[in-house]
Amino acid sequence: MTSRSFSSLPLDPAMQTNLDSLGYQQMTPVQAESLPVILAGQDLIAKAKTGSGKTAAFAIGLLARLQVERFRVQKLVLCPTRELADQVAREIRRLARATHNIKVLTLCGGVSIGPQIGSLEHGAHIIVGTPGRLLDHLRKQTLNLEHVDQLVLDEADRMLDMGFADDVETILAACPANRQMLLFSATYPDGIQKISARYQQSPVTVTVEEQHHPQQLVQHFYELPDAISRSEAVLRVLGQFNPALTLVFSNTRQQCQAIADDLNDQGVSALALHGDLEQKDRDRVLVRFANRSCLVLIATDVAARGLDVKELDLVINSEPSHDPEVHVHRVGRTGRAGEAGIAVTLFSAKEAGRLNRLEDYLKAPVNTESLPAFTKAYNREADMVCINIDGGKKDKLRAGDILGALTRDAGIPGSDIGKIDIFDNAAYVAVAHASARTALQQFDKGKIKGRKFRARKLARF
Ligand code: ADP
Ligand code: MG
């Protein structure tokens, strides 16, 4: 049992008093679990949801190990957006009130770089910044990271979502190898595991779950009457559950495309993903489902492998898989953290034998139901619009450039920008509906790196 009292930590009395004055009476769970690790100098991976007090967890850890008399950049915090960097810097400054003369500097895009260079010449202890601008300073050699002994990646998953993986790696490589590295993230996708494996040394993992119940899965097996097509049944199931994000599995490419076409005919924005598509089109479909500009995806098993989306609300098997193991794998993709996922399997009388095999495999009965009657039409629309830019890595286009054009040049709030994906010759950015026009106008009129790029909004299907 870890103590929740700040006084159980080896913090100096001034810090304890300051915490009291801020009304921080006891540690939040993520602070109680991670602060002892941080203070001991170990590398850390902390997973906890928003609002759990992660900022103070690392801020207290950085301040406790800061040497004020050494006026050098000792601590570096990377954040995905300028808004978040500002919030983090504010929290660090509040917590630093107890000690005189601690200099915290934010380095983000959206403002001219000149004054930042001036501030850097005056020196700072703690730098909080976004990857794009930090990289600019490294290139200009206006930022020296040689003395960094603690490094924080805050909201690491969002940082990777925004396309900053390469920039983050370049910045990590510019810091000393033996520094402590703290990684904070709400989720733990493959990209983060890679960065951790490369840059951390025996990290301690701290996971704070809000929900203590194991995630459950609700499965329905609906028998398909002869008179009803699979596409019609899929539409009915969508209307019944009204899911935010759905993956429909098909056993064949033909059926996959047919269901997508039928759904589109009914006005549902759905995309098909299967092996008959060219690589470039497959990439695009994966991007659109992952960036939430398309909410229904119909896929074959092979094609769905490239999909890094684990938080599906609903999985629909348009017909049962022949292989029970594949079935289990398919339905295991649904369910958000702590919430029950729903999996619906449609089967015709002829396909009932596959359910028997599933029962044998699961050693549990499969309860079949008749297909529910039509309740209401599925009419959910994505909140995000996907914009395709006709330039990519080969044009030296970086996520920071696109983000800068949209937030700094066009004045779109960072919260309206979603995932940014950059390929060799193309880039995609998800933008909230309300800001889509402004974004397109910006690409139309403005330049990125002195060059015009053509951009267009991708159609709903
Ligand atoms: P996260 O980064 O995990 O999303 P924040 O670090 O932004 O969360 O913290 C959320 C809020 O909780 C902030 O307003 C912060 O001031 C407050 N907070 C953090 N630690 C404590 C604490 N120990 N006691 C009370 N409030 C806290
Ligand atoms: Mg945070």
Side-chain angles (χ1 to χ4, degrees):
M1 193 62 209
T2 28
S3 166
R4 296 280 293 273
S5 161
F6 279 110
S7 59
S8 67
L9 299 174
L11 298 174
D12 69 57
M15 175 61 96
Q16 300 278 8
T17 313
N18 189 28
L19 287 166
D20 269 350
S21 77
L22 288 173
Y24 289 13
Q25 289 171 347
Q26 56 167 13
M27 292 188 267
T28 66
V30 71
Q31 291 164 358
E33 300 257 350
S34 61
L35 267 166
V37 177
I38 301 175
L39 295 175
Q42 289 175 279
D43 280 357
L44 171 82
I45 296 169
K47 279 186 276 182
K49 53 174 244 177
T50 321
S52 51
K54 294 191 285 291
T55 320
F58 64 76
I60 294 169
L62 300 183
L63 292 166
R65 303 187 54 210
L66 184 84
Q67 294 174 276
V68 187
E69 65 290 354
R70 292 184 72 220
F71 201 35
R72 300 194 163 137
V73 177
Q74 298 170 40
K75 322 287 169 189
L76 177 66
V77 183
L78 297 187
C79 299
T81 64
R82 180 175 154 195
E83 287 95 334
L84 285 165
D86 285 337
Q87 275 176 34
V88 166
R90 221 174 310 136
E91 179 82 351
I92 297 178
R93 290 196 182 102
R94 263 154 42 97
L95 290 163
R97 290 193 304 208
T99 320
H100 289 295
N101 299 325
I102 295 183
K103 181 100 184 284
V104 182
L105 187 63
T106 48
L107 297 177
C108 301
V111 294
S112 56
I113 199 164
Q116 292 182 347
I117 295 173
S119 302
L120 279 166
E121 278 165 2
H122 285 103
H125 294 104
I126 303 177
I127 303 274
V128 184
T130 48
R133 181 52 64 94
L134 289 169
L135 200 57
D136 292 340
H137 280 289
L138 285 177
R139 293 221 171 99
K140 284 185 188 295
Q141 301 192 328
T142 45
L143 173 65
N144 179 350
L145 299 177
E146 273 171 41
H147 301 284
V148 167
D149 59 6
Q150 285 175 298
L151 176 69
V152 181
L153 300 194
D154 192 21
E155 309 227 2
D157 46 356
R158 177 126 164 90
M159 210 134 51
L160 298 198
D161 270 355
M162 297 186 85
F164 284 130
D166 293 347
D167 294 359
V168 167
E169 289 216 32
T170 308
I171 295 162
L172 295 186
C175 295
N178 60 350
R179 76 279 165 297
Q180 180 184 32
M181 179 165 151
L182 312 174
L183 207 156
F184 288 81
S185 199
T187 59
Y188 196 56
D190 293 348
I192 300 206
Q193 291 177 39
K194 256 184 238 152
I195 288 192
S196 169
R198 249 174 112 160
Y199 295 94
Q200 292 196 299
Q201 279 169 23
S202 332
V204 176
T205 300
V206 161
T207 310
V208 178
E209 302 283 2
E210 282 304 293
Q211 222 104 12
H212 298 283
H213 312 290
Q215 175 184 313
Q216 5 160 349
L217 171 69
V218 178
Q219 289 209 63
H220 295 286
F221 295 86
Y222 293 151
E223 180 160 5
L224 198 65
D226 286 339
I228 289 187
S229 73
R230 274 183 217 274
S231 303
E232 224 178 306
V234 167
L235 276 164
R236 233 187 241 192
V237 172
L238 286 172
Q240 188 192 354
F241 293 103
N242 194 34
L245 208 61
T246 307
L247 179 57
V248 181
F249 281 102
S250 279
N251 291 8
T252 64
R253 299 169 185 195
Q254 293 80 355
Q255 194 186 72
C256 177
Q257 191 61 54
I259 293 177
D261 292 344
D262 290 344
L263 262 56
N264 292 350
D265 284 346
Q266 296 301 313
V268 173
S269 162
L271 295 172
L273 183 71
H274 53 71
D276 284 346
L277 299 176
E278 280 181 44
Q279 185 60 45
K280 151 167 107 28
D281 295 322
R282 243 182 301 172
D283 287 343
R284 177 176 299 175
V285 171
L286 287 169
V287 161
R288 295 189 64 180
F289 194 59
N291 75 13
R292 305 289 200 266
S293 63
C294 162
L295 305 181
V296 181
L297 183 70
I298 331 286
T300 56
D301 291 295
V302 175
R305 264 183 222 153
L307 198 66
D308 191 21
V309 177
K310 290 173 192 87
E311 304 210 322
L312 301 164
D313 299 281
L314 177 65
V315 164
I316 303 177
N317 294 309
S318 64
E319 70 175 87
S321 169
H322 294 277
D323 181 348
E325 212 172 314
V326 170
H327 176 90
V328 170
H329 188 70
R330 285 176 174 183
V331 302
R333 300 186 73 136
T334 177
R336 288 165 189 274
E339 275 176 49
I342 300 171
V344 169
T345 303
L346 301 169
F347 68 99
S348 68
K350 273 204 302 214
E351 292 153 1
R354 297 183 206 165
L355 301 189
N356 296 337
R357 281 208 293 277
L358 183 63
E359 284 186 323
D360 291 345
Y361 178 83
L362 297 174
K363 297 184 178 62
V366 160
N367 300 314
T368 61
E369 300 162 69
S370 47
L371 182 71
F374 176 86
T375 42
K376 65 177 176 52
Y378 173 78
N379 57 5
R380 233 181 224 274
E381 286 293 341
D383 297 328
M384 304 303 270
V385 166
C386 186
I387 294 177
N388 174 11
I389 300 159
D390 76 335
K393 284 186 186 152
K394 292 208 167 134
D395 307 281
K396 305 247 179 328
L397 202 57
R398 289 192 287 130
D401 301 327
I402 296 174
L403 193 63
L406 295 177
T407 55
R408 177 193 59 225
D409 302 345
I412 297 174
S415 52
D416 272 9
I417 317 285
K419 242 166 134 341
I420 299 175
D421 291 279
I422 307 208
F423 294 87
D424 282 349
N425 294 306
Y428 299 91
V429 54
V431 178
H433 260 290
S435 293
R437 256 169 80 110
T438 315
L440 286 165
Q441 281 166 354
Q442 178 62 38
F443 289 122
D444 197 37
K445 294 204 205 82
K447 292 185 172 179
I448 303 178
K449 293 198 154 150
R451 220 199 101 171
K452 260 203 150 38
F453 287 92
R454 267 189 305 142
R456 66 189 179 99
K457 179 177 137 181
L458 296 179
R460 288 170 65 237
F461 44 78

